[in-house]
Amino acid sequence: MTHWLIAPVILPAMLAPFIVLAARYHLSIQRVFSVVGVLAQIAIAIGLLWAASDGTIMLYQLGDWAAPFGIVLVGDRLSTMMVLLTAVLSLMVLLYAIGSGWDDRGRHFHALFQFQIMGIMGAFLTGDLFNLFVFFEVLLIASYGLMIHAGGNDRLRAGVQYVLFNLLGSTLFLFALGAIYAETGTLNMADLAARADLISADASVGIRVAAVLLLLVFAIKAALVPLHFWLPSSYAEAPGPVAALFAIMTKVGAYAIIRVYTIIFPPDLEVTQGLHDVWLQPAALLSVALGMIGVLAAKKLDRLVAFSVIGSMGMVLIAISMFTPESIAAALYYIIHSTLAGAALFLIVDLVKDSRGSLVLRAMPPVAGATVTSALFFAAAIAMAGLPPLSGFIGKLLILDAAFASDMQPLIWTVILASSLIAVVGFGRAGSTVFWKAKSIPVDDDAELAMPPGAMAYAAVFGLLAMSVALTVFGGFVHDFTTATAAQLFNPEPYISTVVDTPGKLSSPTEGY
Protein backbone atom coordinates (compact mmCIF):
# COMPACT_ATOMS: atom_id res chain seq x y z
CA MET A 1 0.00 0.00 0.00
CA THR A 2 1.48 3.31 -1.08
CA HIS A 3 0.78 6.31 1.12
CA TRP A 4 1.69 8.69 -1.71
CA LEU A 5 -1.66 7.93 -3.32
CA ILE A 6 -3.55 10.04 -0.79
CA ALA A 7 -1.14 12.98 -1.08
CA PRO A 8 -2.94 14.68 -4.04
CA VAL A 9 -6.10 14.81 -1.90
CA ILE A 10 -4.69 15.54 1.54
CA LEU A 11 -2.21 18.24 0.46
CA PRO A 12 -4.81 20.77 -0.82
CA ALA A 13 -7.14 19.74 2.02
CA MET A 14 -4.47 20.92 4.48
CA LEU A 15 -3.37 23.98 2.51
CA ALA A 16 -6.86 25.46 2.13
CA PRO A 17 -7.66 25.88 5.85
CA PHE A 18 -4.08 26.99 6.54
CA ILE A 19 -4.45 29.78 3.98
CA VAL A 20 -7.77 30.87 5.50
CA LEU A 21 -6.64 30.75 9.12
CA ALA A 22 -3.00 31.82 8.96
CA ALA A 23 -2.68 33.98 5.83
CA ARG A 24 -6.11 35.50 5.33
CA TYR A 25 -4.81 39.08 5.14
CA HIS A 26 -1.46 38.34 3.49
CA LEU A 27 -1.96 37.81 -0.23
CA SER A 28 1.74 37.32 -0.95
CA ILE A 29 1.92 34.46 1.57
CA GLN A 30 -1.22 32.91 0.08
CA ARG A 31 0.36 33.04 -3.35
CA VAL A 32 3.60 31.43 -2.19
CA PHE A 33 1.89 28.53 -0.41
CA SER A 34 -0.57 28.01 -3.24
CA VAL A 35 2.14 27.86 -5.91
CA VAL A 36 4.40 25.65 -3.80
CA GLY A 37 1.46 23.34 -3.11
CA VAL A 38 0.66 22.97 -6.81
CA LEU A 39 4.33 22.36 -7.66
CA ALA A 40 4.37 19.62 -5.03
CA GLN A 41 1.22 18.20 -6.63
CA ILE A 42 2.99 18.03 -10.00
CA ALA A 43 5.99 16.24 -8.49
CA ILE A 44 3.73 13.73 -6.71
CA ALA A 45 1.62 13.21 -9.83
CA ILE A 46 4.70 12.50 -11.95
CA GLY A 47 5.85 9.93 -9.41
CA LEU A 48 2.43 8.25 -9.33
CA LEU A 49 2.20 8.19 -13.12
CA TRP A 50 5.67 6.67 -13.35
CA ALA A 51 4.74 3.99 -10.81
CA ALA A 52 1.53 3.14 -12.69
CA SER A 53 3.04 3.26 -16.19
CA ASP A 54 4.07 -0.42 -16.10
CA GLY A 55 0.51 -1.52 -15.33
CA THR A 56 0.82 -1.54 -11.55
CA ILE A 57 -2.43 -0.94 -9.66
CA MET A 58 -1.74 1.10 -6.52
CA LEU A 59 -4.09 0.91 -3.54
CA TYR A 60 -4.51 3.02 -0.42
CA GLN A 61 -6.90 1.83 2.30
CA LEU A 62 -7.99 4.66 4.60
CA GLY A 63 -7.70 3.55 8.21
CA ASP A 64 -6.33 0.24 6.87
CA TRP A 65 -9.90 -0.97 6.35
CA ALA A 66 -10.10 -3.49 3.53
CA ALA A 67 -12.61 -3.11 0.70
CA PRO A 68 -15.57 -3.21 0.42
CA PHE A 69 -16.06 -2.01 4.02
CA GLY A 70 -13.37 0.66 3.96
CA ILE A 71 -12.72 3.68 1.76
CA VAL A 72 -10.05 3.03 -0.85
CA LEU A 73 -8.11 5.16 -3.30
CA VAL A 74 -6.89 3.41 -6.45
CA GLY A 75 -4.16 4.54 -8.82
CA ASP A 76 -3.85 3.08 -12.31
CA ARG A 77 -2.76 4.52 -15.65
CA LEU A 78 -6.03 6.40 -16.18
CA SER A 79 -6.40 7.99 -12.75
CA THR A 80 -2.73 9.01 -12.47
CA MET A 81 -2.81 10.51 -15.97
CA MET A 82 -5.81 12.64 -15.02
CA VAL A 83 -4.16 13.65 -11.74
CA LEU A 84 -1.06 14.88 -13.58
CA LEU A 85 -3.17 16.74 -16.17
CA THR A 86 -5.08 18.47 -13.36
CA ALA A 87 -1.90 19.44 -11.51
CA VAL A 88 -0.24 20.92 -14.59
CA LEU A 89 -3.38 22.82 -15.58
CA SER A 90 -3.71 24.14 -12.02
CA LEU A 91 -0.20 25.58 -12.12
CA MET A 92 -0.82 27.47 -15.36
CA VAL A 93 -4.17 28.79 -14.13
CA LEU A 94 -2.68 29.83 -10.81
CA LEU A 95 0.18 31.71 -12.48
CA TYR A 96 -2.33 33.52 -14.66
CA ALA A 97 -4.53 34.43 -11.69
CA ILE A 98 -1.52 35.90 -9.90
CA GLY A 99 -0.12 37.65 -12.97
CA SER A 100 -3.46 39.21 -13.91
CA GLY A 101 -4.40 40.11 -10.33
CA TRP A 102 -7.60 38.04 -10.38
CA ASP A 103 -6.76 36.52 -7.01
CA ASP A 104 -6.89 40.01 -5.46
CA ARG A 105 -10.37 40.89 -6.76
CA GLY A 106 -12.25 38.91 -4.14
CA ARG A 107 -11.80 36.99 -0.91
CA HIS A 108 -10.44 33.48 -0.34
CA PHE A 109 -9.50 32.74 -3.96
CA HIS A 110 -6.52 30.57 -3.06
CA ALA A 111 -8.34 28.60 -0.36
CA LEU A 112 -11.23 27.85 -2.73
CA PHE A 113 -8.73 27.00 -5.46
CA GLN A 114 -7.11 24.38 -3.21
CA PHE A 115 -10.48 22.90 -2.25
CA GLN A 116 -11.32 22.70 -5.94
CA ILE A 117 -8.13 20.77 -6.63
CA MET A 118 -8.91 18.48 -3.70
CA GLY A 119 -12.33 17.62 -5.15
CA ILE A 120 -10.97 16.95 -8.63
CA MET A 121 -8.11 14.78 -7.39
CA GLY A 122 -10.42 12.82 -5.13
CA ALA A 123 -12.87 12.15 -7.95
CA PHE A 124 -10.08 10.74 -10.10
CA LEU A 125 -8.57 8.53 -7.39
CA THR A 126 -11.55 7.19 -5.45
CA GLY A 127 -12.51 3.54 -5.85
CA ASP A 128 -15.95 3.97 -4.29
CA LEU A 129 -19.13 5.37 -5.85
CA PHE A 130 -20.32 7.07 -2.68
CA ASN A 131 -17.03 8.88 -2.28
CA LEU A 132 -17.23 9.87 -5.94
CA PHE A 133 -20.49 11.58 -4.94
CA VAL A 134 -18.75 13.22 -1.96
CA PHE A 135 -15.95 14.61 -4.13
CA PHE A 136 -18.53 15.80 -6.66
CA GLU A 137 -20.09 17.83 -3.86
CA VAL A 138 -16.71 19.26 -2.84
CA LEU A 139 -16.30 20.28 -6.49
CA LEU A 140 -19.73 21.90 -6.52
CA ILE A 141 -19.19 23.96 -3.35
CA ALA A 142 -15.70 25.15 -4.26
CA SER A 143 -16.57 25.88 -7.89
CA TYR A 144 -19.57 27.97 -6.86
CA GLY A 145 -17.34 30.11 -4.62
CA LEU A 146 -14.83 30.52 -7.43
CA MET A 147 -17.51 31.30 -10.01
CA ILE A 148 -18.91 34.27 -8.09
CA HIS A 149 -15.41 35.49 -7.17
CA ALA A 150 -15.30 39.30 -7.46
CA GLY A 151 -19.12 39.48 -7.55
CA GLY A 152 -21.49 41.02 -10.08
CA ASN A 153 -25.18 40.40 -10.81
CA ASP A 154 -24.57 38.47 -14.04
CA ARG A 155 -22.00 36.26 -12.36
CA LEU A 156 -24.27 35.63 -9.38
CA ARG A 157 -27.19 34.75 -11.66
CA ALA A 158 -25.05 32.31 -13.65
CA GLY A 159 -23.70 30.83 -10.42
CA VAL A 160 -27.19 30.18 -9.06
CA GLN A 161 -28.17 28.48 -12.32
CA TYR A 162 -25.00 26.39 -12.16
CA VAL A 163 -25.65 25.29 -8.58
CA LEU A 164 -29.33 24.46 -9.12
CA PHE A 165 -28.63 22.33 -12.18
CA ASN A 166 -25.78 20.49 -10.49
CA LEU A 167 -27.89 19.95 -7.36
CA LEU A 168 -30.37 18.19 -9.62
CA GLY A 169 -27.54 15.98 -10.76
CA SER A 170 -26.53 15.32 -7.16
CA THR A 171 -30.10 14.28 -6.32
CA LEU A 172 -30.15 11.83 -9.21
CA PHE A 173 -26.77 10.55 -8.07
CA LEU A 174 -28.16 9.77 -4.61
CA PHE A 175 -31.15 7.96 -6.14
CA ALA A 176 -28.76 5.90 -8.27
CA LEU A 177 -26.57 5.04 -5.28
CA GLY A 178 -29.62 3.98 -3.28
CA ALA A 179 -30.82 1.72 -6.08
CA ILE A 180 -27.38 0.17 -6.51
CA TYR A 181 -26.97 -0.48 -2.79
CA ALA A 182 -30.45 -1.97 -2.56
CA GLU A 183 -29.64 -4.38 -5.39
CA THR A 184 -26.05 -5.31 -4.51
CA GLY A 185 -25.32 -4.27 -0.91
CA THR A 186 -22.11 -2.47 -1.84
CA LEU A 187 -20.85 0.75 -3.48
CA ASN A 188 -17.21 -0.19 -3.93
CA MET A 189 -16.60 -0.23 -7.69
CA ALA A 190 -14.43 -3.35 -7.74
CA ASP A 191 -16.87 -5.25 -5.54
CA LEU A 192 -19.78 -4.02 -7.65
CA ALA A 193 -18.15 -5.40 -10.80
CA ALA A 194 -18.37 -8.93 -9.41
CA ARG A 195 -21.89 -8.57 -8.01
CA ALA A 196 -23.44 -6.87 -11.06
CA ASP A 197 -22.30 -9.77 -13.22
CA LEU A 198 -24.33 -12.17 -11.04
CA ILE A 199 -27.65 -10.34 -11.51
CA SER A 200 -29.99 -12.32 -13.78
CA ALA A 201 -31.80 -10.67 -16.67
CA ASP A 202 -35.25 -11.17 -15.10
CA ALA A 203 -34.16 -9.34 -11.91
CA SER A 204 -32.26 -6.51 -13.54
CA VAL A 205 -34.79 -3.66 -13.42
CA GLY A 206 -33.29 -1.95 -10.37
CA ILE A 207 -29.69 -2.14 -11.52
CA ARG A 208 -30.59 -1.00 -15.02
CA VAL A 209 -32.44 2.04 -13.63
CA ALA A 210 -29.38 2.82 -11.53
CA ALA A 211 -27.10 2.52 -14.56
CA VAL A 212 -29.30 4.92 -16.52
CA LEU A 213 -29.39 7.41 -13.63
CA LEU A 214 -25.60 7.29 -13.32
CA LEU A 215 -25.26 7.95 -17.03
CA LEU A 216 -27.57 10.97 -16.68
CA VAL A 217 -25.52 12.31 -13.75
CA PHE A 218 -22.23 11.96 -15.59
CA ALA A 219 -23.79 13.43 -18.73
CA ILE A 220 -24.76 16.53 -16.72
CA LYS A 221 -21.16 16.86 -15.49
CA ALA A 222 -19.89 16.40 -19.05
CA ALA A 223 -22.40 18.94 -20.50
CA LEU A 224 -23.85 16.41 -22.91
CA VAL A 225 -26.79 17.64 -25.02
CA PRO A 226 -29.59 18.05 -23.95
CA LEU A 227 -28.17 18.40 -20.41
CA HIS A 228 -25.75 21.18 -21.35
CA PHE A 229 -27.86 24.28 -20.58
CA TRP A 230 -25.87 25.23 -17.49
CA LEU A 231 -22.49 25.47 -19.23
CA PRO A 232 -22.56 28.42 -21.69
CA SER A 233 -23.64 31.08 -19.18
CA SER A 234 -21.70 29.57 -16.28
CA TYR A 235 -18.38 29.37 -18.10
CA ALA A 236 -18.86 32.67 -19.93
CA GLU A 237 -19.62 34.61 -16.74
CA ALA A 238 -16.96 32.97 -14.57
CA PRO A 239 -13.64 34.80 -14.06
CA GLY A 240 -11.11 33.93 -16.75
CA PRO A 241 -8.79 31.73 -14.67
CA VAL A 242 -11.77 30.00 -13.04
CA ALA A 243 -13.27 29.16 -16.43
CA ALA A 244 -9.86 27.84 -17.50
CA LEU A 245 -9.73 25.55 -14.44
CA PHE A 246 -13.27 24.43 -15.25
CA ALA A 247 -11.88 23.01 -18.51
CA ILE A 248 -11.02 19.90 -16.48
CA MET A 249 -14.43 19.83 -14.75
CA THR A 250 -16.35 18.44 -17.72
CA LYS A 251 -13.61 15.81 -18.07
CA VAL A 252 -14.56 14.51 -14.62
CA GLY A 253 -17.89 13.46 -16.13
CA ALA A 254 -16.15 11.78 -19.07
CA TYR A 255 -13.73 10.04 -16.69
CA ALA A 256 -16.62 8.75 -14.57
CA ILE A 257 -18.36 7.32 -17.64
CA ILE A 258 -15.18 5.54 -18.72
CA ARG A 259 -14.46 4.21 -15.22
CA VAL A 260 -17.97 3.05 -14.29
CA TYR A 261 -18.91 1.63 -17.69
CA THR A 262 -15.71 -0.37 -18.13
CA ILE A 263 -15.54 -1.80 -14.60
CA ILE A 264 -19.11 -2.07 -13.30
CA PHE A 265 -21.27 -1.98 -16.44
CA PRO A 266 -19.03 -3.06 -19.35
CA PRO A 267 -20.48 -3.18 -22.88
CA ASP A 268 -20.84 -6.98 -22.77
CA LEU A 269 -22.88 -6.95 -19.54
CA GLU A 270 -26.32 -8.20 -20.56
CA VAL A 271 -28.41 -6.27 -18.03
CA THR A 272 -27.14 -2.85 -19.18
CA GLN A 273 -26.58 -3.37 -22.89
CA GLY A 274 -27.65 -0.52 -25.18
CA LEU A 275 -26.73 2.41 -22.95
CA HIS A 276 -23.58 3.22 -24.91
CA ASP A 277 -24.60 2.99 -28.56
CA VAL A 278 -28.37 3.52 -28.31
CA TRP A 279 -28.38 6.54 -25.97
CA LEU A 280 -24.89 7.97 -25.52
CA GLN A 281 -23.75 8.06 -29.12
CA PRO A 282 -26.65 10.08 -30.63
CA ALA A 283 -26.43 12.60 -27.79
CA ALA A 284 -22.67 12.92 -28.36
CA LEU A 285 -23.19 13.57 -32.07
CA LEU A 286 -25.76 16.25 -31.24
CA SER A 287 -23.31 17.81 -28.78
CA VAL A 288 -20.66 18.20 -31.46
CA ALA A 289 -23.14 19.69 -33.93
CA LEU A 290 -24.78 22.05 -31.45
CA GLY A 291 -21.48 23.12 -29.92
CA MET A 292 -19.95 24.13 -33.22
CA ILE A 293 -23.13 25.81 -34.44
CA GLY A 294 -22.98 27.79 -31.20
CA VAL A 295 -19.40 28.79 -32.07
CA LEU A 296 -20.63 30.14 -35.40
CA ALA A 297 -23.67 31.91 -33.92
CA ALA A 298 -22.09 33.38 -30.77
CA LYS A 299 -22.17 37.16 -30.43
CA LYS A 300 -19.62 37.32 -27.60
CA LEU A 301 -16.17 35.83 -27.47
CA ASP A 302 -16.63 34.17 -24.08
CA ARG A 303 -19.79 32.35 -25.16
CA LEU A 304 -18.04 31.26 -28.36
CA VAL A 305 -15.37 29.52 -26.31
CA ALA A 306 -17.99 28.03 -23.97
CA PHE A 307 -19.82 26.47 -26.93
CA SER A 308 -16.52 25.14 -28.27
CA VAL A 309 -16.12 23.28 -24.97
CA ILE A 310 -19.53 21.64 -25.54
CA GLY A 311 -18.39 20.63 -29.01
CA SER A 312 -15.09 19.24 -27.76
CA MET A 313 -16.89 17.22 -25.07
CA GLY A 314 -19.11 15.85 -27.81
CA MET A 315 -15.97 14.66 -29.61
CA VAL A 316 -14.74 12.93 -26.47
CA LEU A 317 -18.10 11.26 -25.87
CA ILE A 318 -18.39 10.09 -29.49
CA ALA A 319 -15.16 8.18 -28.98
CA ILE A 320 -16.27 6.88 -25.58
CA SER A 321 -19.66 5.76 -26.94
CA MET A 322 -18.00 3.37 -29.40
CA PHE A 323 -16.46 1.57 -26.37
CA THR A 324 -13.59 -0.17 -28.11
CA PRO A 325 -9.97 -0.08 -26.92
CA GLU A 326 -9.05 2.04 -29.95
CA SER A 327 -11.82 4.57 -29.37
CA ILE A 328 -11.13 4.89 -25.63
CA ALA A 329 -7.43 5.48 -26.42
CA ALA A 330 -8.47 8.23 -28.88
CA ALA A 331 -10.84 9.72 -26.30
CA LEU A 332 -8.09 9.91 -23.68
CA TYR A 333 -5.75 11.66 -26.12
CA TYR A 334 -8.50 14.12 -27.02
CA ILE A 335 -9.25 14.75 -23.33
CA ILE A 336 -5.68 15.95 -22.81
CA HIS A 337 -5.78 18.11 -25.94
CA SER A 338 -9.17 19.71 -25.33
CA THR A 339 -8.34 20.49 -21.69
CA LEU A 340 -5.19 22.40 -22.66
CA ALA A 341 -6.76 24.15 -25.67
CA GLY A 342 -9.97 25.08 -23.85
CA ALA A 343 -8.10 26.49 -20.85
CA ALA A 344 -5.82 28.52 -23.13
CA LEU A 345 -8.83 30.01 -24.94
CA PHE A 346 -10.53 31.07 -21.71
CA LEU A 347 -7.35 32.80 -20.55
CA ILE A 348 -7.00 34.53 -23.93
CA VAL A 349 -10.61 35.71 -23.67
CA ASP A 350 -9.72 37.25 -20.33
CA LEU A 351 -6.71 38.99 -21.90
CA VAL A 352 -8.98 40.42 -24.58
CA LYS A 353 -11.53 41.58 -22.01
CA ASP A 354 -8.91 43.31 -19.85
CA SER A 355 -7.46 45.23 -22.79
CA ARG A 356 -10.55 45.74 -24.96
CA GLY A 357 -13.17 46.19 -22.26
CA SER A 358 -15.82 44.31 -24.24
CA LEU A 359 -16.18 40.78 -25.60
CA VAL A 360 -18.94 41.62 -28.08
CA LEU A 361 -17.90 40.51 -31.57
CA ARG A 362 -17.76 43.88 -33.27
CA ALA A 363 -14.91 45.98 -34.60
CA MET A 364 -13.36 48.31 -32.02
CA PRO A 365 -10.21 50.43 -31.96
CA PRO A 366 -6.86 48.63 -31.52
CA VAL A 367 -5.90 47.66 -28.00
CA ALA A 368 -2.64 47.34 -26.12
CA GLY A 369 -0.92 43.98 -26.59
CA ALA A 370 -3.18 43.04 -29.51
CA THR A 371 -0.33 41.56 -31.59
CA VAL A 372 0.68 38.99 -29.00
CA THR A 373 -2.89 38.26 -27.94
CA SER A 374 -4.04 37.75 -31.53
CA ALA A 375 -1.17 35.32 -32.17
CA LEU A 376 -2.14 33.35 -29.08
CA PHE A 377 -5.80 33.31 -30.12
CA PHE A 378 -4.84 32.14 -33.62
CA ALA A 379 -2.80 29.22 -32.25
CA ALA A 380 -5.44 28.19 -29.68
CA ALA A 381 -8.24 28.42 -32.29
CA ILE A 382 -6.29 26.15 -34.64
CA ALA A 383 -5.88 23.65 -31.84
CA MET A 384 -9.55 23.71 -30.80
CA ALA A 385 -10.85 23.55 -34.39
CA GLY A 386 -8.67 20.50 -35.06
CA LEU A 387 -6.52 21.92 -37.85
CA PRO A 388 -2.97 20.71 -38.51
CA PRO A 389 -0.33 20.81 -37.21
CA LEU A 390 -1.50 20.99 -33.58
CA SER A 391 -2.81 18.19 -31.34
CA GLY A 392 -6.49 18.67 -32.15
CA PHE A 393 -5.85 17.40 -35.67
CA ILE A 394 -4.19 14.23 -34.36
CA GLY A 395 -6.98 13.69 -31.83
CA LYS A 396 -9.68 13.92 -34.50
CA LEU A 397 -7.75 11.59 -36.81
CA LEU A 398 -7.58 9.02 -34.02
CA ILE A 399 -11.34 9.27 -33.41
CA LEU A 400 -12.09 9.03 -37.15
CA ASP A 401 -9.83 5.98 -37.41
CA ALA A 402 -11.55 4.31 -34.44
CA ALA A 403 -14.94 4.93 -36.11
CA PHE A 404 -14.14 2.43 -38.88
CA ALA A 405 -15.23 -0.35 -36.50
CA SER A 406 -18.61 1.29 -35.86
CA ASP A 407 -21.82 0.75 -37.81
CA MET A 408 -22.36 4.53 -37.50
CA GLN A 409 -19.07 5.32 -39.25
CA PRO A 410 -20.54 7.39 -42.13
CA LEU A 411 -22.60 9.56 -39.77
CA ILE A 412 -19.71 9.99 -37.32
CA TRP A 413 -17.35 11.07 -40.09
CA THR A 414 -19.94 13.47 -41.53
CA VAL A 415 -20.64 15.15 -38.20
CA ILE A 416 -16.98 15.47 -37.21
CA LEU A 417 -15.79 16.83 -40.56
CA ALA A 418 -18.74 19.21 -41.00
CA SER A 419 -18.42 20.51 -37.44
CA SER A 420 -14.69 21.08 -37.95
CA LEU A 421 -15.44 23.26 -40.97
CA ILE A 422 -18.05 25.20 -39.00
CA ALA A 423 -15.55 25.68 -36.16
CA VAL A 424 -12.95 27.08 -38.56
CA VAL A 425 -15.49 29.58 -39.92
CA GLY A 426 -16.68 30.55 -36.44
CA PHE A 427 -13.21 31.08 -34.98
CA GLY A 428 -12.05 32.83 -38.15
CA ARG A 429 -14.98 35.25 -38.01
CA ALA A 430 -14.36 36.03 -34.36
CA GLY A 431 -10.61 36.51 -34.78
CA SER A 432 -10.93 38.76 -37.80
CA THR A 433 -13.59 40.88 -36.10
CA VAL A 434 -11.74 41.34 -32.82
CA PHE A 435 -8.18 41.73 -34.12
CA TRP A 436 -7.92 42.34 -37.86
CA LYS A 437 -10.85 44.75 -38.35
CA ALA A 438 -9.63 46.77 -35.36
CA LYS A 439 -6.97 48.30 -37.61
CA SER A 440 -9.66 50.04 -39.66
CA ILE A 441 -11.21 51.78 -36.63
CA PRO A 442 -9.70 55.19 -35.84
CA VAL A 443 -8.20 55.62 -32.39
CA ASP A 444 -9.35 58.53 -30.26
CA ASP A 445 -6.25 60.52 -29.42
CA ASP A 446 -7.65 61.34 -25.98
CA ALA A 447 -8.48 57.73 -25.17
CA GLU A 448 -6.12 55.83 -22.92
CA LEU A 449 -5.26 52.33 -24.02
CA ALA A 450 -5.74 49.77 -21.28
CA MET A 451 -2.52 48.14 -20.16
CA PRO A 452 -2.39 44.39 -20.76
CA PRO A 453 -1.75 42.03 -17.83
CA GLY A 454 1.78 41.28 -16.71
CA ALA A 455 4.29 38.92 -18.22
CA MET A 456 3.31 36.08 -15.87
CA ALA A 457 -0.22 36.02 -17.30
CA TYR A 458 1.10 35.75 -20.85
CA ALA A 459 3.62 33.12 -19.75
CA ALA A 460 0.77 30.95 -18.44
CA VAL A 461 -1.01 31.05 -21.81
CA PHE A 462 2.25 30.36 -23.63
CA GLY A 463 2.77 27.42 -21.28
CA LEU A 464 -0.59 25.86 -22.14
CA LEU A 465 0.02 26.28 -25.88
CA ALA A 466 3.55 24.92 -25.52
CA MET A 467 2.11 21.79 -23.91
CA SER A 468 -0.31 21.48 -26.83
CA VAL A 469 2.65 21.63 -29.19
CA ALA A 470 4.47 19.03 -27.07
CA LEU A 471 1.38 16.83 -27.24
CA THR A 472 1.72 17.01 -31.04
CA VAL A 473 5.47 16.39 -31.15
CA PHE A 474 5.26 13.48 -28.73
CA GLY A 475 1.89 12.33 -30.04
CA GLY A 476 3.15 8.81 -30.76
CA PHE A 477 4.43 8.35 -27.22
CA VAL A 478 1.23 9.75 -25.69
CA HIS A 479 -0.94 7.58 -27.93
CA ASP A 480 1.06 4.51 -26.94
CA PHE A 481 0.35 5.38 -23.32
CA THR A 482 -3.37 5.94 -23.90
CA THR A 483 -3.52 2.67 -25.86
CA ALA A 484 -1.97 0.82 -22.91
CA THR A 485 -4.41 2.62 -20.62
CA ALA A 486 -7.38 1.51 -22.72
CA ALA A 487 -6.10 -2.06 -22.72
CA GLN A 488 -5.87 -1.93 -18.93
CA LEU A 489 -9.44 -0.60 -18.69
CA PHE A 490 -10.77 -3.45 -20.84
CA ASN A 491 -8.98 -5.97 -18.63
CA PRO A 492 -10.37 -4.97 -15.20
CA GLU A 493 -9.48 -8.20 -13.38
CA PRO A 494 -6.16 -6.88 -11.97
CA TYR A 495 -7.93 -3.74 -10.73
CA ILE A 496 -10.70 -5.78 -9.11
CA SER A 497 -8.39 -8.32 -7.51
CA THR A 498 -6.05 -5.63 -6.16
CA VAL A 499 -8.92 -3.80 -4.47
CA VAL A 500 -10.94 -6.76 -3.24
CA ASP A 501 -8.20 -9.25 -2.35
CA THR A 502 -5.74 -6.93 -0.59
CA PRO A 503 -6.22 -7.53 3.16
CA GLY A 504 -6.21 -4.79 5.75
CA LYS A 505 -5.63 -4.86 9.48
CA LEU A 506 -9.40 -4.88 9.87
CA SER A 507 -10.93 -6.95 7.09
CA SER A 508 -14.52 -6.71 8.34
CA PRO A 509 -16.52 -4.24 10.45
CA THR A 510 -16.63 -6.62 13.43
CA GLU A 511 -13.10 -7.99 13.38
CA GLY A 512 -11.10 -6.92 16.40
CA TYR A 513 -14.12 -6.12 18.61
Side-chain angles (χ1 to χ4, degrees):
M1 182 171 72
T2 173
H3 291 269
W4 285 108
L5 202 56
I6 199 173
V9 179
I10 203 69
L11 180 60
M14 295 173 64
L15 273 176
F18 172 81
I19 289 172
V20 172
L21 297 174
R24 179 183 302 182
Y25 303 109
H26 304 281
L27 183 60
S28 58
I29 297 177
Q30 294 182 36
R31 288 173 171 176
V32 169
F33 275 94
S34 200
V35 171
V36 170
V38 173
L39 288 173
Q41 287 271 27
I42 293 175
I44 294 168
I46 291 173
L48 292 175
L49 182 65
W50 180 265
S53 61
D54 61 354
T56 300
I57 308 293
M58 294 174 286
L59 178 70
Y60 182 82
Q61 300 167 328
L62 275 75
D64 215 6
W65 283 86
F69 307 108
I71 299 171
V72 295
L73 301 179
V74 188
D76 60 357
R77 287 190 178 100
L78 175 59
S79 58
T80 54
M81 182 193 81
M82 298 303 294
V83 165
L84 179 58
L85 178 61
T86 303
V88 172
L89 175 66
S90 299
L91 178 63
M92 296 297 107
V93 171
L94 189 58
L95 293 178
Y96 183 90
I98 295 172
S100 62
W102 258 113
D103 60 338
D104 194 26
R105 302 185 192 182
R107 296 176 62 84
H108 307 307
F109 175 88
H110 290 281
L112 289 168
F113 190 87
Q114 293 297 325
F115 275 127
Q116 183 80 25
I117 295 174
M118 171 195 168
I120 296 172
M121 296 298 192
F124 288 144
L125 291 172
T126 185
D128 183 272
L129 279 180
F130 182 77
N131 287 287
L132 181 61
F133 166 78
V134 171
F135 285 118
F136 273 10
E137 295 311 294
V138 174
L139 285 176
L140 178 62
I141 295 169
S143 59
Y144 176 70
L146 288 173
M147 179 174 293
I148 62 173
H149 179 74
N153 291 333
D154 293 339
R155 190 165 295 153
L156 181 61
R157 188 181 305 111
V160 170
Q161 173 186 320
Y162 167 80
V163 168
L164 290 177
F165 208 83
N166 278 274
L167 282 177
L168 173 62
S170 299
T171 304
L172 293 177
F173 205 167
L174 280 178
F175 288 158
L177 294 180
I180 290 174
Y181 194 80
E183 292 289 326
T184 64
T186 184
L187 291 175
N188 180 276
M189 285 190 273
D191 196 34
L192 269 171
R195 301 196 187 195
D197 195 43
L198 299 177
I199 298 175
S200 61
D202 57 350
S204 64
V205 174
I207 200 69
R208 188 170 179 85
V209 168
V212 172
L213 288 176
L214 282 179
L215 188 60
L216 286 174
V217 172
F218 301 149
I220 290 174
K221 300 295 181 183
L224 180 70
V225 172
L227 304 172
H228 68 289
F229 298 107
W230 60 272
L231 190 145
S233 296
S234 300
Y235 279 39
E237 296 297 338
V242 174
L245 182 63
F246 283 5
I248 195 70
M249 293 273 285
T250 49
K251 310 308 185 298
V252 175
Y255 167 87
I257 292 174
I258 294 173
R259 178 67 74 193
V260 170
Y261 293 91
T262 53
I263 292 183
I264 305 173
F265 307 119
D268 58 350
L269 185 65
E270 182 180 357
V271 298
T272 56
Q273 281 185 350
L275 289 181
H276 319 109
D277 49 356
V278 176
W279 297 105
L280 184 59
Q281 194 168 90
L285 291 168
L286 284 174
S287 296
V288 174
L290 182 64
M292 294 313 168
I293 291 173
V295 168
L296 185 62
K299 296 181 179 180
K300 295 181 66 178
L301 195 59
D302 50 2
R303 292 186 68 86
L304 179 146
V305 177
F307 274 105
S308 73
V309 170
I310 295 174
S312 69
M313 282 308 302
M315 290 291 299
V316 170
L317 293 169
I318 284 175
I320 293 175
S321 67
M322 291 185 278
F323 262 96
T324 64
E326 294 77 17
S327 69
I328 295 297
L332 296 178
Y333 184 95
Y334 203 86
I335 282 174
I336 301 173
H337 148 74
S338 59
T339 300
L340 299 175
L345 279 169
F346 278 119
L347 296 184
I348 293 167
V349 167
D350 195 64
L351 290 174
V352 173
K353 185 175 183 179
D354 276 352
S355 56
R356 196 170 182 255
S358 173
L359 293 174
V360 177
L361 294 179
R362 67 170 184 268
M364 295 178 67
V367 296
T371 302
V372 177
T373 305
S374 62
L376 294 173
F377 179 83
F378 179 71
I382 287 177
M384 185 60 86
L387 292 178
L390 294 181
S391 54
F393 179 69
I394 298 176
K396 287 189 176 181
L397 281 182
L398 292 174
I399 295 173
L400 291 172
D401 184 62
F404 278 115
S406 172
D407 295 336
M408 301 284 286
Q409 183 257 341
L411 181 59
I412 292 173
W413 272 60
T414 300
V415 171
I416 291 177
L417 294 177
S419 64
S420 298
L421 176 60
I422 294 173
V424 171
V425 175
F427 277 108
R429 176 183 69 94
S432 63
T433 301
V434 173
F435 299 107
W436 182 59
K437 290 184 179 180
K439 296 182 178 179
S440 64
I441 305 297
V443 179
D444 187 354
D445 294 335
D446 297 331
E448 295 184 3
L449 291 179
M451 295 301 295
M456 187 182 293
Y458 279 101
V461 183
F462 272 111
L464 288 170
L465 292 177
M467 284 186 281
S468 183
V469 172
L471 185 61
T472 306
V473 174
F474 299 102
F477 173 79
V478 176
H479 184 244
D480 288 343
F481 182 85
T482 59
T483 300
T485 302
Q488 187 179 53
L489 289 168
F490 279 84
N491 179 34
E493 285 77 15
Y495 181 104
I496 296 170
S497 61
T498 299
V499 175
V500 175
D501 297 338
T502 301
K505 288 182 180 178
L506 299 174
S507 298
S508 73
T510 58
E511 185 178 334
Y513 291 90

